[in-house]
Amino acid sequence: MMLRFTFRALAATSLLALTAPALADTLVDNVDGVTIDGDGDVLRFTGIVFDDDGKVTQVFERGDERPQVDYRLDGEGRVMIPGMIDAHVHVGQIGFAAMTLDLSDTNSLDEALQKIAQFSTDNPGRPWILGRGWNQEKWGLGRFPTAAELDKVVSDRPVLLRRADGHAAWTNSLAMEQAGVTAGAKAPAGGRIIRDEAGNLTGIFVDSAIGLVGQSVPDPRPSDYDRALALAQEQLIANGITAVGDMAMSVHEWHAYRRAADLGQLRIRVMAYADSPELMELIGGTGPTPWLYDDRLRLNGIKLYVDGALGSRGAALKEPYADEPGTSGLALTMPAQLRNLMSRAAMSNFQTAVHAIGDAANADVLSAIEELSETYTGDRRWRIEHAQIVDPADIPRLGQHGIIASVQPLHQTSDRTMAEARLGPDRLDGAYPWRSVVAAGGRLAFGSDAPVEPADPFAGFAAAISRTDADGQPFGGWFPQETVSREQALAGFTSDAAFAGFAEGRFGRLIPGERADFLLVDRDPLLSSPDDIRQTKVIEVWVGGVKVLGE
Ligand SMILES: [Zn+2]
């Protein structure tokens, strides 16, 4: 920043230098380029020029004459596409997951103990060793592991390791000691403490009893948030993602963004949605923040929740669950409260992104949007996050009021058998209804919900156009009438994901005036099979005309 400022100050005083506006223009030529253009159509091109500010100034088709520029890069005929945009991720959680010991690939207790010891050696600064993914069934152990076994590899720091299903924790003696959990401890309601025959603690805590030890895990420090952000950025960029919608961002995560960006270390672009109205107003005050740091960071609004998830039967359904007729899920936010919160945001022009999974939840958000649209007119871009199960009768409502359905194609492929069980065979017509939303005049933005699903836009792209998983299952696709076209998938992961965050005109397309955020990849997603698209290799990643990944 300082250097560039100095250069400009000098240039302004030098009469000769002033006549060379193309001084830092860069031409990337000889590429097989594809982008969504300003009209929403697919544009094929063979070269682009971007300027000193990292903005595209010209796009060339085959045969167009190239200008004289100072820098010319040869794309060697490779495929160039806009940087992928993941409309719904949790950046901090991606980073913290990367900082946690993952035992899901261990096949025996010994192997796990070795991995724990190694992680402890590799991470001397961590006050606690935290991990996940162990499974004594997979190990063939026939019993739970014990604190004593853990003590043999780490005794000088507390350790807490969650089981693969998250429903149990394995701790060492120091963790129990620091938490003040002694032999006489009682399990809270909904929890269990596993003891040996003599009644001693074994280090295993089940469900709500995990909190007895878990409450002593220290909150992450600012430096932990910084490290998490750095790791998350690394992972996102490696997968070809140059911009994200960060959902339910905390105040600590916002501060980490600001610290990173102040140091020039915010490499991706972030459209942020606060986790509470208080935080939204604390950061934005009377409205969304301006775009900060050359279009790298903006607080757009707030993330709200209407219901839970299908897996835990927390999604709010119009009729009872097929596999548990006693329940139809539960609303996390009551109708009046939802409208109050949405109104509080809309009044100050904040954008709302509302999590709704079940058909009752989606119907309620749609009604709320319809009511609020009478007061809050104009370009609001009401977002519904997930929109997984929608009553076919409600789908036309998704085409009204400029609603954006922010959906995650990989949820469909991961959850389809579970969705079949939860809903039964007769209520799947509006399940993950992508093509229907487009047909109704609605707009899709695609994302991953990482770390819930991998932040892999090419896997998401393949799922969007095929409704099959990585093994090609089910053959022919699950409700294949809801697949989208390749062009629609490209838009969903680029231009439409940008639009969903009020970022059109800034990034998402390779057209004059937008940022030069692009990838060089080894195949063309518009010409490849779903299987091939999943195997896409990201060769180079550029953000704002700067290479952030590649040789
Ligand atoms: Zn999410």
Side-chain angles (χ1 to χ4, degrees):
M1 247 359 228
M2 209 53 206
L3 277 175
R4 206 164 76 177
F5 181 74
T6 310
F7 165 77
R8 283 201 173 146
L10 285 174
T13 59
S14 156
L15 292 173
L16 289 174
L18 276 177
T19 58
L23 187 64
D25 280 0
T26 301
L27 167 67
V28 187
D29 210 350
N30 188 23
V31 296
D32 182 6
V34 59
T35 183
I36 303 298
D37 71 8
D39 301 321
D41 300 323
V42 169
L43 173 74
R44 296 228 166 239
F45 60 93
T46 56
I48 62 167
V49 171
F50 56 83
D51 65 14
D52 190 32
D53 289 330
K55 285 185 179 169
V56 176
T57 55
Q58 288 168 284
V59 178
F60 303 103
E61 295 177 45
R62 199 173 299 284
D64 289 345
E65 199 185 323
R66 277 26 179 187
Q68 286 299 315
V69 292
D70 280 66
Y71 300 104
R72 182 184 178 280
L73 303 173
D74 185 353
E76 296 170 348
R78 279 189 294 225
V79 173
M80 178 189 280
I81 57 176
M84 298 300 244
I85 303 175
D86 191 318
H88 182 129
V89 296
H90 304 279
V91 173
Q93 289 179 34
I94 295 172
F96 280 109
M99 289 161 69
T100 304
L101 171 60
D102 181 6
L103 296 170
S104 59
D105 60 352
T106 58
N107 293 305
S108 68
L109 175 60
D110 276 346
E111 200 185 317
L113 290 171
Q114 273 178 29
K115 208 172 167 184
I116 295 160
Q118 188 63 48
F119 186 84
S120 174
T121 309
D122 292 345
N123 294 277
R126 300 271 168 82
W128 278 59
I129 303 287
L130 302 174
R132 66 204 144 87
W134 58 271
N135 183 347
Q136 83 285 3
E137 305 287 333
K138 189 177 162 192
W139 293 343
L141 198 58
R143 60 169 175 84
F144 280 122
T146 65
E149 285 159 338
L150 203 42
D151 290 344
K152 281 188 208 145
V153 289
V154 186
S155 57
D156 58 341
R157 271 185 292 170
V159 181
L160 188 150
L161 307 166
R162 285 192 176 251
R163 195 176 181 277
D165 62 5
H167 287 283
W170 173 26
T171 67
N172 67 352
S173 297
L174 189 58
M176 292 188 282
E177 192 187 311
Q178 287 202 1
V181 179
T182 57
K186 284 201 174 57
R192 210 150 50 93
I193 300 172
I194 308 292
R195 300 170 190 274
D196 64 16
E197 275 153 25
N200 299 311
L201 298 171
T202 63
I204 298 290
F205 298 85
V206 178
D207 284 330
S208 70
I210 297 170
L212 293 174
V213 181
Q215 65 183 2
S216 292
V217 176
D219 290 335
R221 302 159 293 188
S223 60
D224 296 323
Y225 283 99
D226 293 342
R227 175 96 184 113
L229 175 55
L231 290 171
Q233 290 195 84
E234 214 170 275
Q235 205 180 105
L236 292 163
I237 288 170
N239 289 350
I241 294 167
T242 56
V244 296
D246 190 15
M247 289 293 151
M249 176 197 67
S250 70
V251 67
H252 308 289
E253 289 160 345
W254 175 259
H255 287 316
Y257 284 136
R258 299 299 304 255
R259 283 192 298 270
D262 286 341
L263 295 170
Q265 291 168 359
L266 184 59
R267 297 186 294 162
I268 57 169
R269 304 189 190 280
V270 179
M271 304 171 272
Y273 296 83
D275 66 358
S276 70
E278 290 75 23
L279 180 59
M280 171 186 80
E281 285 158 5
L282 180 76
I283 297 170
T286 55
T289 64
W291 281 96
L292 305 168
Y293 311 104
D294 298 332
D295 295 340
R296 270 170 212 266
L297 181 63
R298 183 181 192 245
L299 178 83
N300 280 355
I302 187 170
K303 165 86 179 295
L304 299 169
Y305 294 81
V306 181
D307 64 348
L310 213 48
S312 51
R313 298 186 188 83
L317 300 180
K318 290 186 175 182
E319 304 290 336
Y321 278 84
D323 58 355
E324 196 180 325
T327 179
S328 52
L330 79 175
L332 296 178
T333 310
M334 293 300 123
Q337 193 191 358
L338 175 69
R339 284 151 181 77
N340 290 342
L341 289 169
M342 289 177 73
S343 177
R344 183 165 162 187
M347 191 165 28
S348 303
N349 292 308
F350 287 109
Q351 190 184 14
T352 56
V354 186
H355 165 120
I357 299 227
D359 53 8
N362 278 286
D364 189 39
V365 185
L366 287 164
S367 297
I369 292 170
E370 284 156 12
E371 291 159 31
L372 288 164
S373 290
E374 292 176 16
T375 306
Y376 303 109
T377 55
D379 185 4
R380 296 286 171 170
R381 303 190 199 178
W382 311 97
R383 289 177 64 139
I384 301 182
E385 302 302 314
H386 311 305
Q388 279 180 13
I389 311 298
V390 185
D391 184 337
D394 290 325
I395 287 177
R397 303 168 75 193
L398 280 162
Q400 308 290 316
H401 307 294
I403 293 171
I404 290 157
S406 165
V407 302
Q408 298 74 37
L410 290 177
H411 281 330
Q412 184 274 305
T413 52
S414 296
D415 296 352
R416 69 180 164 86
T417 48
M418 185 263 290
E420 285 170 359
R422 298 285 181 275
L423 295 161
D426 302 328
R427 285 190 288 165
L428 296 170
D429 284 347
Y432 313 90
W434 310 327
R435 187 179 290 250
S436 299
V437 167
V438 177
R443 203 186 269 256
L444 296 172
F446 284 140
S448 66
D449 203 9
V452 179
E453 295 284 347
D456 181 347
F458 297 100
F461 194 117
I465 63 170
S466 70
R467 310 266 286 194
T468 59
D469 63 19
D471 300 321
Q473 293 299 317
F475 183 75
W478 193 79
F479 293 85
Q481 65 272 25
E482 292 293 352
T483 54
V484 299
S485 67
R486 284 173 169 73
E487 292 73 18
Q488 183 75 55
L490 180 65
F493 275 113
T494 60
S495 53
D496 285 352
F499 182 87
F502 287 94
E504 77 281 8
R506 297 174 189 276
F507 54 87
R509 296 170 293 192
L510 294 167
I511 59 173
E514 295 205 3
R515 300 280 175 182
D517 299 352
F518 60 85
L519 316 178
L520 295 179
V521 294
D522 69 344
R523 64 201 71 194
D524 185 338
L526 298 190
L527 299 175
S528 305
S529 72
D531 259 1
D532 283 344
I533 292 168
R534 276 192 196 91
Q535 310 301 324
T536 301
K537 288 203 172 40
V538 177
I539 301 161
E540 289 185 13
V541 180
W542 294 64
V543 178
V546 174
K547 181 153 59 175
V548 296
L549 182 95
E551 305 273 287

